[in-house]
């Protein structure tokens, strides 16, 4: 539509894959943006904004399954697919994340 | 009948249009012919149900109705009479509906006779119609008790006399109400009282004459009837009981009635609502078996295999039903049979429950209204002054009847218990009243829409009702959608009541309600059994073996971790991702992502050395707040996650477990050491209890207290386990107390003779609770649910022979206990166990004091 719509996405190496234990999440800063990176037991990687949009809870400390992330403070849930919440509140931002030679790469725009 | 002022066809078409049904074309239609005699609520419902099952393909359907109208909601006639509803609003199926669905409606055509051999129905207009399958749904008509002077010479009812059964009756009464002044209603049942109240609303002076000894004697017992009478009379409606109307004063029109005792009542309008009688003439004339109604079997079949009967005209297992719910059930069964959807469908009778407003008084009844056997439990609450009369009848722990008059707040729960046999509260009185634990409770019906139900998540009653109205009618669904009840959980029962109320009892049974955790479709006993027999020692193993599709569920992990730890003790295979953050880092997460650190301080007893150490640590780590807790410990708040291991090291004290679903703390008073009132050494017993049960995980947190006398300085009466010294070496042990969002005094489990016995009994109770409570079910819910008597029998008399097993179970957990602060401090359980999750770039927002 316009030039501003062109991607300003930047890929950042935030750490090593083994920094995030299986099934858990850890917080990183990707180019100045706080992100929470999760490695599920099925090996898949997910990244979201670090703070819960509801009350600022530390999402990296949340619990997960293949479908959702649960914030530890008030147990709001967010879907991996698009960050939306089955609880009906504002969703979280999800960021593309992948592994490259053992490094965790998060794309933040 | 009265003057017919309106002969408009209800639910009819504005203009006549020709309609050619498929069956008009002779010999072409290959479908079977289904003929329904009677176009009331039962007959039309059968047609609807048949169509819903695709029966339009199988059958050419013809419906005969004696009234010219479409199908309307007869139950609402009293509302039409009262002027609360317009008659157009009570139409259920208009003439157009029949046409649109390819159903031939022969409205205004009465059937006189069925030729079951030729399979033909003969209509009063001389026409006939062949059938393959026939449904009789002729309903019932007003019963007109014998009284002299009721009819004119030409056998018509005297002008001013009305039945109350059809829309035409209702229209005629409405027209008459405008020009008449004094009405007598014969019949003090539901219909009579509704008619009386409606006519009074039109400005008439109304009197009710009832042959029974009390009003609504079909539904209410004598005491309830007496209370209803007071309520009705307080509205200004006179009531005459136990007397019949023997004569109508005429002769040209109604001028009054004479009662059996000779009294005369002036009246210019007479309504006869003395009950209904099944319309069975067609069946009788056709040679079908008729007793009080048309006799049908469990497949609603008469003694002719191709003729069925449903609704008020049918007599099933000796019962006639006059309520709509059984009729709906019959229609479903019949449609299953006719269409072959379920050729084995059977109707086994209905448990009838009804809720209505009679003459402005709320009434709900279900099942029987009085005990029938010596062993039946019968509870009555009668408040004549308020017009309230409530009763329940319980047999073998099941609700078999309830009557609520003047206060129907508990109807949703009772209906569920009645229909589904849901468990009843041990304290039966809770079936009828909400025993408030301090604050005044308001019935959900009266609760204003904007009032906040869930204070944790700010959910109003309206939001819950809107969600139910939006099609969500299971408790868990509503809780997920609104988050109501998902904070502290103390409002959950209120949320449940509102959902039930909003869904008008039509709540989807929630299969997940009985599961221990939402992700594994098993209740606790089955889940425990499966874990044991399949030797599942980790949460991921449980998901792999027991979850649908082997899929893990985030919200089930914490409960499973707790359960596995209880079952396997030291053999449990820990997985940090299956733990809640508090259990991963052995501290309580705070709103800003920092943590609180509470060192163990057994029995609330500390030393100057300990206090110095805590003070030094607080200084060293710049702890923003140091606070004395309600559990007699010291809380260091606002600690950064990454500082936790070093702090524990410096403290050199064990964890106080201020974070887990586990035994938290044992509060004590100073007991006999210093207190001049103390009867026994409560302090030492508290320390001993905390030493023995420290950190024991359980379905929800456990708080204990020991006090040295009944002055209760450490609040033992409101703890999960509370111990009170009563002198001479004796101790009372209370269980199930609470002083949180719920306040409840514990129940006295036993009085024992030594501190050792207190410890033993506490261990048994804890293990019994751990093995049987639902996830997050506190003892204050668990003990009343199981029943104190049962708990006593199991723990004190060993009625189930499990005491030894309980002792072993708790001992296994005690043996498996290790202090988590000593455990994880030096070597993290997982990489980055104590790395910060927040703040990363921002600073904490909680102000430092």
């Amino acid at each position: 539509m316009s030039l501003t719509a062109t991607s300003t996405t930047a890929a950042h190496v935030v750490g090593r894959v083994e920094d995030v234990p299986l099934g858990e999440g850890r917080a990183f800063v990707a180019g100045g943006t706080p992100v929470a990176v999760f490695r599920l037991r099925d090996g898949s990687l997910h990244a979201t904004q670090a703070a819960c949009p509801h009350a600022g809870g530390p999402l990296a400390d949340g619990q997960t399954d293949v479908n959702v992330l649960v914030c530890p403070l008030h147990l709001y849930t967010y879907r991996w697919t698009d960050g939306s919440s089955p609880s009906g509140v504002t969703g979280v931002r999800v960021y593309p994340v992948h592994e490259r030679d053992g490094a965790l790469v998060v794309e933040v725009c | 009948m009265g003057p017919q002022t309106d002969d408009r066809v209800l639910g009819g078409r504005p203009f006549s249009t020709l309609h050619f049904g498929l069956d008009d074309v002779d010999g072409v239609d290959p479908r079977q012919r289904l003929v329904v005699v009677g176009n009331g609520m039962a007959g039309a419902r059968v047609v609807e149900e048949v169509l819903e099952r695709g029966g339009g393909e199988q059958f050419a359907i013809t419906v005969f109705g004696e009234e010219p109208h479409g199908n309307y909601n007869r139950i609402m006639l009293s509302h039409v009479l009262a002027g609360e509803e317009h008659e157009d609003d009570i139409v259920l199926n208009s003439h157009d509906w029949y046409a649109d669905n390819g159903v031939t409606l022969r409205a205004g055509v009465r059937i006189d006779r069925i030729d079951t051999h030729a399979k033909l129905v003969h209509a009063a207009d001389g026409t006939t119609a062949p059938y393959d399958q026939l449904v009789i749904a002729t309903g019932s008509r007003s019963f007109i008790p014998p009284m002299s002077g009721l009819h004119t010479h030409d056998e018509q009812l005297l002008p001013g006399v009305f039945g109350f059964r059809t829309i035409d009756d209702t229209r005629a009464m409405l027209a008459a109400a405008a020009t008449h002044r004094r009405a007598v209603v014969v019949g003090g049942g539901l219909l009579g009282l509704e008619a009386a109240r409606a006519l009074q609303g039109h400005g008439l002076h109304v009197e009710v004459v009832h042959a029974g000894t009390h009003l609504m004697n079909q539904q209410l017992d004598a005491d309830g009837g007496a209370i209803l009478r007071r309520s009705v009379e307080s509205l200004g409606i006179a009531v005459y009981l136990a007397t019949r109307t023997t004569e109508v004063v005429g002769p040209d029109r109604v001028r009054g009635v004479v009662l059996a005792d000779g009294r005369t009542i002036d009246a210019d309008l007479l309504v006869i609502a003395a009950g209904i009688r099944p319309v069975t003439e067609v069946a009788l004339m056709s040679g079908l078996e008729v007793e009080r109604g048309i006799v049908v079997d469990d497949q609603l079949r008469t003694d002719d295999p191709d003729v069925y009967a449903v609704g008020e005209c049918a007599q099933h297992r000796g019962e006639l039903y006059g309520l709509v719910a059984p009729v709906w059930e019959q229609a479903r069964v019949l449609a299953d049979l006719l269409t072959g959807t379920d050729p084995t469908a059977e109707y086994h009778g209905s448990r009838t429950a009804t809720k209505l407003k009679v003459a402005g008084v709320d009434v709900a009844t279900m099942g029987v209204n009085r005990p029938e056997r010596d062993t039946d439990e019968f509870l009555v609450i009668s408040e004549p002054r308020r017009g309230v009369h409530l009763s329940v009848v319980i047999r073998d722990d099941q609700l078999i009847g309830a009557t609520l008059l003047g206060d129907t707040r508990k109807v949703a729960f009772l209906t569920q218990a009645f229909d589904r046999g849901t468990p009843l509260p041990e304290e039966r009185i809770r079936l009828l009243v909400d025993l408030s634990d301090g604050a005044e409770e308001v019935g959900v019906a009266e609760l204003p829409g904007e009032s906040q139900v869930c204070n944790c998540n700010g959910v109003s009653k309206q939001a819950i009702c809107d969600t139910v109205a939006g099609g969500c009618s299971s408790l868990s669904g509503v809780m997920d959608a609104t988050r109501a009840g998902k904070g502290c959980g103390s409002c959950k029962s209120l949320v449940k009541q509102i959902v039930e109320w909003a869904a008008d009892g039509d709540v989807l049974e929630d299969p997940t309600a009985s599961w221990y955790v939402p992700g594994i479709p098993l209740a606790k006993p089955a889940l425990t059994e499966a874990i044991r027999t399949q030797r599942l020692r980790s949460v991921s193993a449980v998901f792999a073996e027991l979850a649908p599709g082997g899929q893990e569920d985030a919200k089930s992990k914490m409960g499973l971790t707790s359960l596995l730890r209880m079952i396997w003790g030291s053999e449990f295979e820990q997985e940090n991702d299956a733990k809640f953050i508090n259990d991963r880092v052995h501290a309580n997460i705070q709103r800003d992502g920092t943590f609180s650190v509470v060192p163990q301080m057994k029995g609330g007893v500390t030393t100057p050395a300990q206090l110095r150490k805590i003070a030094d640590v607080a200084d060293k780590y710049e702890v923003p707040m140091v606070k004395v807790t309600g559990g007699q410990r010291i809380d260091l708040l606002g600690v950064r996650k990454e500082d936790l291991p070093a702090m524990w090291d410096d403290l050199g004290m064990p964890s106080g477990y201020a974070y887990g679903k586990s035994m938290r703390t044992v509060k004590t008073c100073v007991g006999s050491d210093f207190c001049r009132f103390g009867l026994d050494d409560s302090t030492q017993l508290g320390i001993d209890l905390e030493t023995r049960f420290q950190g024991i995980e359980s379905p929800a947190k456990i708080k204990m207290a020991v006090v040295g006398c009944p002055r209760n300085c450490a609040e033992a009466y409101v703890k999960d386990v509370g111990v009170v010294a009563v002198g001479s070496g004796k101790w009372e042990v209370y269980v199930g107390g609470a002083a949180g969002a719920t306040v409840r005094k514990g129940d006295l489990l036993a009085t024992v003779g030594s501190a050792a016995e207190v410890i033993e009994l506490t261990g048994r109770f804890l293990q019994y609770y751990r093995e049987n409570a639902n996830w997050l079910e506190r003892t204050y819910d668990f003990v009343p649910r199981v029943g104190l008597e049962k708990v006593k029998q199991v723990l004190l008399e060993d009625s189930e022979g499990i005491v030894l097993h309980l002792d072993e179970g708790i001992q296994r957990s005690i043996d498996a206990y290790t202090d988590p602060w000593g455990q994880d401090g030096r070597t993290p359980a997982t990489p980055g166990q104590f790395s910060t999750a927040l703040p990363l770039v921002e600073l904490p927002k909680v102000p430092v004091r």
Side-chain angles (χ1 to χ4, degrees), chain B residues 140-145 162-166 169 191 272-277 279:
Chain B
S140 52
R141 66 167 64 90
S142 299
F143 168 63
I144 308 286
F162 301 92
F164 188 17
R165 188 67 198 153
T166 63
D169 292 341
L191 203 60
I272 300 189
I276 54 174
R277 292 292 180 271
V279 175

Side-chain angles (χ1 to χ4, degrees), chain A residues 82-101:
Chain A
D82 57 358
S84 66
S85 170
S87 321
V89 293
T90 312
V92 292
R93 297 194 67 161
V94 293
Y95 301 107
V97 56
H98 63 272
E99 179 197 342
R100 192 174 61 210
D101 304 328

Side-chain angles (χ1 to χ4, degrees), chain B residues 67-147:
Chain B
E67 293 181 66
H69 313 290
N71 172 40
Y72 57 89
N73 189 340
R74 217 176 284 281
I75 301 165
M76 301 301 286
L77 286 177
S78 55
H79 296 258
V80 175
L81 183 62
E84 293 159 4
E85 296 267 352
H86 189 269
E87 59 175 40
D88 286 340
D89 296 330
I90 67 166
V91 173
L92 295 173
N93 305 91
S94 64
H95 283 217
D96 279 339
W97 180 87
Y98 293 87
D100 293 345
N101 286 281
V103 175
T104 307
L105 174 64
R106 304 275 314 270
V109 181
R110 193 179 74 237
I111 296 299
D112 280 340
R113 189 168 65 81
I114 304 156
D115 184 338
T116 53
H117 297 288
K119 299 184 103 174
L120 273 180
V121 293
H122 292 267
D125 64 1
T127 59
T128 61
Y131 69 85
D132 295 300
Q133 303 289 323
L134 181 76
V135 177
I136 305 178
T138 43
S140 52
R141 66 167 64 90
S142 299
F143 168 63
I144 308 286
M147 50 185 96

Side-chain angles (χ1 to χ4, degrees), chain A residues 26 41 61 64-65 67 74, chain B residues 483 551 554 557 577 641 831:
Chain A
R26 292 288 181 261
R41 281 191 170 263
D61 284 344
T64 63
D65 59 33
N67 298 312
H74 305 99
Chain B
R483 303 197 43 71
Q551 197 170 328
K557 292 182 174 181
D577 64 304
K641 200 205 251 173

Side-chain angles (χ1 to χ4, degrees), chain B residues 424-600:
Chain B
L424 306 180
E426 193 62 22
E427 295 170 273
R428 304 301 197 205
I429 194 168
R430 287 181 186 274
L431 285 166
L432 291 178
V433 292
D434 288 315
L435 293 183
S436 72
D437 296 319
E440 188 186 349
E441 289 188 27
V442 183
V444 294
E446 285 88 59
L447 212 58
E450 69 275 14
S451 63
Q452 188 153 300
V453 173
C454 176
N455 292 326
C456 294
N457 292 318
V459 185
S460 67
K461 174 188 169 187
Q462 195 57 51
I464 294 171
C465 294
D466 291 347
T467 308
V468 173
C472 183
S473 57
S474 75
L475 176 63
S476 62
V478 171
M479 283 172 62
D480 279 343
T482 62
R483 303 197 43 71
K486 292 207 150 187
C488 71
S490 64
C491 65
K492 200 172 154 184
S493 70
L494 183 57
V495 175
K496 180 161 179 264
Q497 285 176 39
I498 293 172
V499 171
E500 285 166 356
W501 175 80
D504 210 7
D506 195 15
V507 179
L508 277 182
E509 196 134 16
D510 192 345
T512 65
S514 65
W515 302 350
Y516 192 62
V517 291
I520 312 277
L522 292 172
K524 188 168 185 175
L527 177 59
T528 306
E529 173 71 14
I531 288 170
R532 284 222 168 91
T533 54
Q534 300 184 41
R535 316 209 137 269
L536 307 175
R537 291 199 168 83
S538 69
V539 171
S540 57
V542 173
F543 282 128
E545 297 302 322
L546 303 178
Q551 197 170 328
E552 56 174 5
D553 174 58
K555 292 189 170 180
S556 301
K557 292 182 174 181
M558 191 182 178
L560 289 174
T561 296
S562 165
L563 185 65
L564 289 170
R565 202 191 280 277
M566 180 196 75
I567 293 172
W568 297 116
S570 53
E571 295 172 67
F572 167 58
E573 290 171 17
Q574 301 210 27
E575 288 171 340
N576 255 27
D577 64 304
K579 299 177 189 170
F580 185 59
I581 184 64
N582 287 3
D583 298 310
R584 289 185 202 168
V585 301
H586 320 297
N588 200 346
I589 192 165
Q590 304 296 308
R591 60 178 302 171
D592 58 355
T594 64
F595 291 82
S596 80
V597 171
V598 181
Q600 188 180 59

